[in-house]
Structures are given as C-alpha cells and as structure tokens.
Amino acid sequence: MSKLEIHQFPIRGDNYAVLLHDEDANVTASIDAGSAAAIADELRKKGWSLTHIFTTHHHGDHTEGNEALKQEFGCTIVGPRAEAARVPGIDRPVSEGDEVSFGRFTFNILETGGHTAGHISFVEPNEAVAFVGDTLFTLGCGRVFEGDAQTMWASLSKLMQLPDDTKIYCGHEYTQANARFALTIEPENEALQTRAKQIDELRARGEPTVPTTMAEEKATNPFLRPHSSAIRARLNLQDAADWQVFGEIRARKDNA
Ligand code: ZN
Ligand code: FE
C-alpha cells in the first residue's frame, strides 16, 4: 500500500498550495485553492486529476480557484459549514467531529475559529498530518480577524492536543518575519535562537519552512507559550490567564 503523497508548492507569492494524492485509490485533493491556473498546472505535471478541494476558510487567497477547478475537474468541495455561504462551489459543509474519507485515508474536522469565525482544520491522525490553514503558522499564528483572543487561543489549544510528531502544514510562508518577532517576545529561548538561524539558512536556499511539527512549535512559537514565565515577566502579565497573555502577544505582533 502506498502512503499519502503530499506535494506542496508556493503560489501567489507567500501562499502554499498542497496536493494530496492516494495512488491506489487514484484520488487527489487540493488543500485550499488560491489559484486555479497554478494548481491545474501542477496537476498536469503530476498527471493527477483533481477529485477534492478541502477548504479551510473563506478568504480569497484560499478559495479564488474553487469555481474554475470545479468546472475543469468536477471535484467535490468540502469546507466549513459556518462559512458555507462564503465558500464558492461548496458541495459538502462540515463541522467539528465530522470525518471526510479520501481514498484509504480519513480526515477529522476540527473547528479552529478566530482568524475567520468558521475556520476548520483537516487532520489525518494515522498519517500524523494536520492542514491548519491560517490558524497556526510556523513560529506564528493567523491574525484574529473574526474572533477574539479567547477564541483563537482555544483553537490553538485544540491543535496543541495533537501528538508532538504531527506535521503541521499551514497556508503561508511567513516564517522569517515570525522568527524576528518571536525573538522580541522570548529572546532567552535557546531552541528559538537555533531555529531562527536554521530558518534563515533554509530561506537563503529558497527552501520552505513548512511543514513544521507540533513539538517544534510548542518549544519555540511564542503564541503557543503563554505559560512561559520568561514571556509573562517580559509582558508584565505574571498572573494573567493564558488567553490574555496570548492576546497581548498577538496585539504586539499586529502593531509590530
Ligand atoms: Zn486567511
Ligand atoms: Fe491566507
């Protein structure tokens, strides 16, 4: 039996597109679809026909390709029930606890709202992969556009329940800027210092910093570390709730 094939490539500047392929079942899914032309091109190169689009949230840089790809391939579009009216071409609205079959694989739906209110993540536990859209980024997290800090922190906490070896695929390559900001929040974190250097080396070679792992993020991503006493001391929030510390870090990043 073949593994789940995962093919990631950059589109639109700093977005990542991902194609999933199950050779045995001959099915192919696109995680989000920010550009029909770029995704159709990559499908042709691979010789794959698109059977599914898994939409994480309604933003245009994740959905603008939906209708053209559906027209060309007749694929099924799975997306967040709470945003169904804003996801072009949606066929199957899903919410927390739903399961989506894809060849021999099964994706669990987690609701991870905050960046947008209905944002969802797709998790395949047996393959230890999670597609989290704009909720969690390598060394960062999405801007909180439609929720509040408490909601976003609950969503990140939910993702933190995933096993440490889970590979995290996110929607953007924002990592170098995230690393610079992270070092202002927790400069004494040696794992973060090391990682920031590795990220600069990867980007200098034009290589992606995505996927990351939950273990790496827990150790170095300040948005997942509101419990850190060093961070709390720096922000002068020793006695605040985790979500409040998270909210202060997010506010500082928004204004950075
Ligand atoms: Zn977005
Ligand atoms: Fe985005």
Side-chain angles (χ1 to χ4, degrees):
M1 276 204 320
S2 56
K3 269 185 62 87
L4 177 66
E5 235 177 290
I6 303 177
H7 176 56
Q8 175 183 262
F9 53 99
I11 58 170
R12 304 178 64 118
D14 61 29
N15 278 80
Y16 280 121
V18 174
L19 293 175
L20 307 179
H21 184 68
D22 177 351
E23 189 64 46
D24 296 343
N26 196 24
V27 289
T28 305
S30 181
I31 301 292
D32 289 327
S35 162
I39 292 167
D41 242 32
E42 209 68 21
L43 285 162
R44 272 189 288 275
K45 278 188 220 157
K46 287 283 191 184
W48 296 344
S49 181
L50 192 67
T51 54
H52 299 77
I53 295 173
F54 294 164
T55 298
T56 61
H57 66 295
H58 68 79
H59 284 162
D61 63 312
H62 300 255
T63 58
E64 273 172 15
N66 279 18
E67 275 171 338
L69 288 168
K70 187 171 176 173
Q71 209 162 25
E72 184 172 353
F73 295 98
C75 54
T76 298
I77 302 181
V78 181
R81 183 180 304 278
E83 299 181 358
R86 301 174 79 178
V87 175
I90 191 168
D91 298 292
R92 182 171 170 207
V94 292
S95 48
E96 181 84 21
D98 283 345
E99 292 185 347
V100 177
S101 294
F102 174 73
R104 290 168 296 108
F105 305 97
T106 303
F107 287 87
N108 298 333
I109 304 303
L110 299 184
E111 286 180 359
T112 51
H115 175 68
T116 63
H119 193 299
I120 57 173
S121 296
F122 293 81
V123 180
E124 216 301 352
N126 294 316
E127 297 291 302
V129 291
F131 300 93
V132 303
D134 290 357
T135 300
L136 175 63
F137 294 129
T138 303
L139 283 182
C141 76
R143 262 184 193 253
V144 183
F145 286 119
E146 295 178 13
D148 54 23
Q150 206 160 1
T151 310
M152 190 63 162
W153 172 245
S155 295
L156 294 171
S157 301
K158 195 184 283 185
L159 293 175
M160 287 168 74
Q161 304 298 309
L162 296 171
D164 277 352
D165 65 350
T166 307
K167 287 195 191 69
I168 309 291
Y169 285 83
C170 58
H172 293 268
E173 178 64 59
Y174 289 157
T175 311
Q176 267 185 311
N178 288 343
R180 280 194 293 276
F181 172 75
L183 284 166
T184 69
I185 299 294
E186 199 178 17
E188 56 282 280
N189 182 334
E190 286 175 18
L192 172 60
Q193 296 164 10
T194 305
R195 199 167 179 215
K197 288 192 194 102
Q198 289 165 347
I199 283 159
D200 286 340
E201 288 163 14
L202 281 170
R203 294 309 293 154
R205 295 198 298 267
E207 289 177 32
T209 65
V210 179
T212 178
T213 65
M214 190 45 73
E216 285 184 282
E217 292 313 305
K218 282 181 181 169
T220 56
N221 184 331
F223 294 100
L224 302 189
R225 298 176 55 74
H227 55 275
S228 151
S229 46
I231 291 178
R232 284 171 168 258
R234 177 157 298 98
L235 304 182
N236 202 18
L237 287 171
Q238 282 89 342
D239 300 319
D242 282 346
W243 72 265
Q244 291 171 310
V245 179
F246 164 78
E248 174 61 22
I249 300 170
R250 187 60 257 177
R252 289 186 183 215
K253 178 71 164 63
D254 292 345
N255 297 320

